[in-house]
């Protein structure tokens, strides 16, 4: 099922999310399935639960075009980040039409849990590192609007 995406300035986007307990209820399994379907349908590279109006620490990453199978991460955290930072142009499905340059650590080690509660941890760089950081920010109620140094497109759309 394709879910409705919450858009800025919806307050849920700026509210820190709740941890998910295990075993997860069927509703959470279904939510993750729906989030994967929704991010693909929207041609997005990542999606966090608050963007579909669920105040839960769940993200999905959809970088299949880059050869990375789509995956979900529950209770995700950045466990380590490189001192070196790089800038990348970012957008957000919840802030349609707005893009800007965001500076973030180049590499991170992220950790989290899969649907069965198994710990997943990986060190990564490149686009995967940036997407995971962007989505983890969502679970903490942080939008790219707080981080954009220079808008590249759509700044005029932000008037509340
Ligand atoms: Zn976003």
């Amino acid at each position: 099922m394709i879910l409705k995406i919450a858009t800025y300035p919806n307050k849920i986007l700026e509210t820190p999310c709740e941890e998910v307990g295990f075993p997860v209820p069927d509703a959470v399994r279904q939510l993750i399935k729906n989030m994967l379907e929704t991010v693909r349908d929207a041609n997005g590279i990542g999606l966090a639960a608050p963007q579909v109006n669920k105040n839960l620490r769940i993200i999905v990453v959809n970088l299949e075009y880059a050869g990375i199978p789509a995956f979900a991460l529950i209770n995700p955290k950045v466990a380590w980040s490189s001192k070196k930072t790089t800038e990348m142009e970012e957008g957000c499905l919840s802030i349609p039409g707005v893009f800007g340059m965001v500076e973030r650590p180049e590499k991170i080690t992220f950790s989290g849990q899969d649907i069965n509660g198994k710990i997943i941890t990986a060190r990564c760089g490149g686009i995967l590192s940036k997407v995971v950081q962007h989505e983890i920010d969502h679970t903490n109620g942080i939008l790219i609007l707080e981080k954009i140094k220079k808008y590249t497109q759509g700044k005029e759309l932000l008037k509340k």
Side-chain angles (χ1 to χ4, degrees):
M1 192 174 94
I2 291 161
L3 304 170
K4 188 174 186 304
I5 295 177
T7 54
Y8 178 80
N10 188 322
K11 275 288 159 218
I12 195 163
L13 297 170
E14 294 177 87
T15 307
C17 296
E18 309 276 342
E19 288 265 326
V20 176
F22 288 88
V24 299
D26 285 347
V28 164
R29 286 182 187 266
Q30 194 58 50
L31 172 65
I32 288 173
K33 267 190 199 164
N34 290 341
M35 285 174 66
L36 285 163
E37 204 177 323
T38 302
V39 73
R40 287 192 180 108
D41 176 70
N43 288 316
I45 55 179
L47 186 71
Q51 294 183 274
V52 290
N53 295 291
K54 298 288 177 199
N55 192 38
L56 294 170
R57 294 188 174 274
I58 300 172
I59 68 171
V60 297
V61 173
N62 178 41
L63 289 170
E64 283 166 343
Y65 81 91
I68 300 167
F71 65 96
L73 205 55
I74 300 172
N75 301 325
K77 284 185 196 66
V78 175
W80 171 87
S81 53
S82 63
K83 285 207 177 67
K84 187 180 175 197
T85 59
T86 50
E87 272 188 44
M88 194 183 90
E89 186 181 42
E90 295 188 20
C92 182
L93 291 174
S94 292
I95 318 168
V98 177
F99 294 87
M101 301 306 294
V102 178
E103 183 175 2
R104 299 183 187 274
E106 181 185 36
K107 294 178 182 167
I108 60 164
T109 299
F110 66 81
S111 68
Q113 286 159 281
D114 72 8
I115 192 83
N116 300 311
K118 189 178 154 234
I119 304 283
I120 298 171
T121 181
R123 181 165 293 195
C124 60
I127 184 83
L128 178 58
S129 164
K130 301 292 183 162
V131 175
V132 170
Q133 291 181 68
H134 176 121
E135 301 311 329
I136 289 176
D137 274 355
H138 273 300
T139 67
N140 291 317
I142 297 168
L143 295 173
I144 52 173
L145 303 178
E146 290 183 40
K147 298 198 166 177
I148 287 177
K149 301 173 90 181
K150 183 172 164 268
Y151 285 89
T152 50
Q153 203 182 307
K155 191 178 181 205
E156 70 283 356
L157 301 173
L158 290 172
K159 291 187 200 95
K160 284 196 190 185

